[in-house]
Amino acid sequence: MLVDGFGRNVTYLRVSVTERCNFRCQYCMPEKPFSWVPKENLLSFEELFLFVKVAIDEGITKIRITGGEPLLRTDLDKFIAMINNHKSGLDLALTTNGFLLKDAAQKLKNAGLQRVNISLDSLKPDVAGKMAQKDVLAKVQAGIEEALRVGLKVKINMVPIKGINDTEVLDVLEYAKERGMSIRFIEYMENTHAKEKLKGLSGQEVQTIIAQKYHFKEIGRVGPSPAHLFEFDDGYIFGIIDPHKHDFCEDCNRIRLTAEGMLIPCLYFDEAMSIKDAVHNGDVAKAAEVLKEVLRNKPEKNKWSDDDQNETSNRAFYETGG
Ligand code: SAM
Ligand code: SF4
């Protein structure tokens, strides 16, 4: 069991397999970063797997593969199969923008992937294109349909931004609901890598929009997941992730690994430790030591819990995987 310095049981590892992305979402990465991490600095799947194995053996039960855009990494399905074959019964999921999913979905499912979160910010080709700064919608929707067809459990993520896609909250919700997919509305989190002057809808504003058409009751948070859940009269459940109003620190169960091998105890906390040398040398004991040290350093609260709620983070979502 992995327990941090504040008695929290850490069971969830998010693994970013690349910081590169084929989109330029305005709220995440509007310009090409002028220095991509050179490919040789990325950990290989074998190296990532060495650490993932250690983490599983120590008590991690839930793993989410993310990025950047994780499907840009060739043979991602093989990495997923390595994890799945190491231990059955893990909760194994992927977060993707969906653009490359149509061709990958069946292989990912065969490899043992169970769930996929797909970002879908608009159902209008021009708006989706404006948000991602690329013509993306048709391929994303094809990816969603294929994921459903092969039997993956699909959840939609939407980040509503004022003046861009804020009029589509109900449309995207209904698109998800009609297809039996859950949806999470995520408050835009200000960061220095996003396009300037973006304003996100607050979770309360999202609720108000949905309440104009539907009756729902609040369920609240279930377990350590950050989403506040709400239930329609017909049983459909949607979620809102609203870090401006709530912090999720008290029962935070997660740590993050970047594609370069930095192990991050908290999204809004600068200290991180590298596992690169350990996995490069195949040193399992050292990897376990770094994991435990990072847990000891996991802060009690993130910066968003400070009084100044307008704090802007320097950490890039495309590096940490969100
Ligand atoms: N490229 C994949 C995707 O877009 O789903 C995975 C990585 S992306 C960083 C993971 C999640 O972070 C996405 O759902 C995205 O919408 C969300 N995200 C990125 N930047 C954000 C921001 N500034 N505020 C809130 N959510 C953000
Ligand atoms: Fe790429 Fe995902 Fe960031 Fe959009 S949110 S730029 S798809 S990493």
Side-chain angles (χ1 to χ4, degrees), residues 120 123 156 158 168-185 206 209-211 213-214 216 230 232 236-240:
L120 178 71
L123 292 167
I156 296 296
M158 177 181 185
E168 288 190 72
V169 165
L170 281 171
D171 293 342
V172 179
L173 181 140
E174 284 165 358
Y175 173 88
K177 186 170 184 283
E178 279 159 18
R179 288 163 180 76
M181 306 184 289
S182 190
I183 185 165
R184 299 287 178 266
F185 297 96
V206 170
I209 291 170
I210 299 172
K213 186 157 176 190
Y214 293 100
F216 55 84
F230 301 86
F232 282 9
Y236 180 72
I237 290 176
F238 70 95
I240 294 179

Side-chain angles (χ1 to χ4, degrees), residues 116-307:
V116 60
N117 285 19
I118 305 175
S119 298
L120 178 71
D121 290 320
S122 171
L123 292 167
K124 297 179 184 160
D126 56 328
V127 178
K130 186 174 172 195
M131 188 73 102
Q133 305 196 77
K134 174 172 174 167
D135 180 15
V136 295
L137 185 62
K139 288 194 77 171
V140 172
Q141 286 184 299
I144 292 172
E145 299 299 339
E146 182 65 3
L148 290 171
R149 193 192 67 77
V150 303
L152 287 165
K153 218 171 149 201
V154 183
K155 197 184 279 175
I156 296 296
N157 287 339
M158 177 181 185
V159 181
I161 302 288
K162 289 183 180 171
I164 303 181
N165 63 342
D166 54 337
T167 57
E168 288 190 72
V169 165
L170 281 171
D171 293 342
V172 179
L173 181 140
E174 284 165 358
Y175 173 88
K177 186 170 184 283
E178 279 159 18
R179 288 163 180 76
M181 306 184 289
S182 190
I183 185 165
R184 299 287 178 266
F185 297 96
I186 307 174
E187 279 183 352
Y188 165 59
M189 295 177 228
E190 294 74 10
N191 68 92
T192 53
H193 305 271
K195 196 169 171 187
E196 271 180 75
K197 300 203 175 77
L198 292 184
K199 286 252 175 288
L201 281 186
S202 69
Q204 187 54 54
E205 287 168 323
V206 170
Q207 270 191 66
T208 304
I209 291 170
I210 299 172
Q212 283 162 9
K213 186 157 176 190
Y214 293 100
H215 182 257
F216 55 84
K217 65 171 189 231
E218 183 166 354
I219 299 177
R221 287 178 67 205
V222 176
S225 160
H228 275 255
L229 301 182
F230 301 86
E231 186 176 6
F232 282 9
D233 293 344
D234 65 5
Y236 180 72
I237 290 176
F238 70 95
I240 294 179
I241 300 179
D242 56 355
H244 294 88
K245 189 164 164 208
H246 295 107
D247 74 55
F248 324 110
C249 303
E250 200 180 328
D251 51 4
C252 178
N253 66 342
R254 57 187 67 188
I255 49 174
R256 294 173 163 82
L257 180 63
T258 72
E260 283 186 283
M262 294 307 291
L263 192 59
I264 302 174
C266 170
L267 195 51
Y268 295 108
F269 184 71
D270 287 337
E271 277 73 2
M273 281 181 80
S274 177
I275 58 149
K276 190 167 186 163
D277 288 346
V279 295
H280 207 62
N281 299 327
D283 189 341
V284 171
K286 181 71 191 165
E289 207 180 288
V290 175
L291 172 59
K292 292 198 174 138
E293 181 67 26
V294 165
L295 282 186
R296 269 195 295 276
N297 283 335
K298 190 167 161 61
E300 187 175 16
K301 278 198 174 287
N302 69 32
K303 271 193 175 177
W304 284 74
S305 321
D306 290 353
D307 288 339

